[in-house]
Amino acid sequence: TAMYLAKEISDIKCNIFTNGIAVAMELAQKKNVSITIVGGQLMKDNLSTASPAAREYFADSNFELAIVSATAFTPENGFSCNNQSESELLKMVFQKARHVYMMLDSYKIGKINPYTFAHVSDIDVLITDDKFPREYKALLEQENVVVM
């Protein structure tokens, strides 16, 4: 999901923090984008990194906008992932961001992963595909989340 965004983002002057190796490589093709790769243990299933040290790095960082993705979502359990370090890192990002956009493909809906890092009330915008269920869209809109 993040890779699609990396390919589509304009080549504008901005700072991007990512834990995605492939995302960073895609963004490196853009001349005006400054990229910071957050380190840690490599998660081979999605070529991303996370560690307690990365969480500490973000303790002194501030974000106007955080665009994140989840690997699973249910209204009851919220947005979740498979790695505890990544979950803790994302929780920190949510605390430090002024606005949070969540990217979520419809095939991730109804799935549950071990580590919840956010709930519907924690996001401002949900970016999804055309197959996103209407009943979930209504639920998010009741929480003042914009669904795109």
Side-chain angles (χ1 to χ4, degrees):
T1 309
M3 179 58 81
Y4 294 118
L5 177 63
K7 288 180 181 183
E8 296 298 322
I9 197 166
S10 299
D11 189 4
I12 59 172
K13 188 172 181 162
C14 63
N15 298 311
I16 296 179
F17 293 78
T18 184
N19 66 335
I21 304 299
V23 169
M25 290 175 63
E26 180 65 32
L27 291 169
Q29 298 176 42
K30 301 175 189 297
K31 293 180 182 180
N32 295 306
V33 176
S34 174
I35 307 155
T36 300
I37 301 172
V38 180
Q41 184 175 3
L42 179 67
M43 294 172 279
K44 293 179 182 179
D45 61 330
N46 62 5
L47 290 178
S48 65
T49 61
S51 72
R55 189 175 188 280
E56 288 180 32
Y57 179 82
F58 279 155
D60 293 325
S61 301
N62 299 298
F63 308 103
E64 178 69 28
L65 173 64
I67 304 174
V68 300
S69 61
T71 53
F73 170 75
T74 65
E76 305 80 22
N77 295 305
F79 301 97
S80 59
C81 62
N82 288 315
N83 183 283
Q84 186 175 18
S85 291
E86 183 176 28
S87 174
E88 294 301 317
L89 179 64
L90 288 168
K91 286 177 185 178
M92 173 65 78
V93 169
F94 274 68
Q95 291 173 0
K96 305 295 282 183
R98 184 174 284 177
H99 305 284
V100 177
Y101 287 26
M102 177 66 69
M103 296 182 297
L104 186 75
D105 297 328
S106 59
Y107 70 87
K108 297 175 181 175
I109 297 168
K111 295 184 179 180
I112 299 171
N113 282 326
Y115 305 102
T116 295
F117 60 86
H119 294 277
V120 170
S121 60
D122 297 321
I123 68 170
D124 300 299
V125 174
L126 178 77
I127 302 168
T128 189
D129 56 33
D130 294 337
K131 296 177 184 175
F132 193 74
R134 289 183 184 164
E135 64 272 15
Y136 283 4
K137 182 178 180 184
L139 174 74
L140 272 79
E141 288 174 342
Q142 284 177 346
E143 295 285 332
N144 296 317
V145 175
V146 175
V147 179
M148 302 172 56

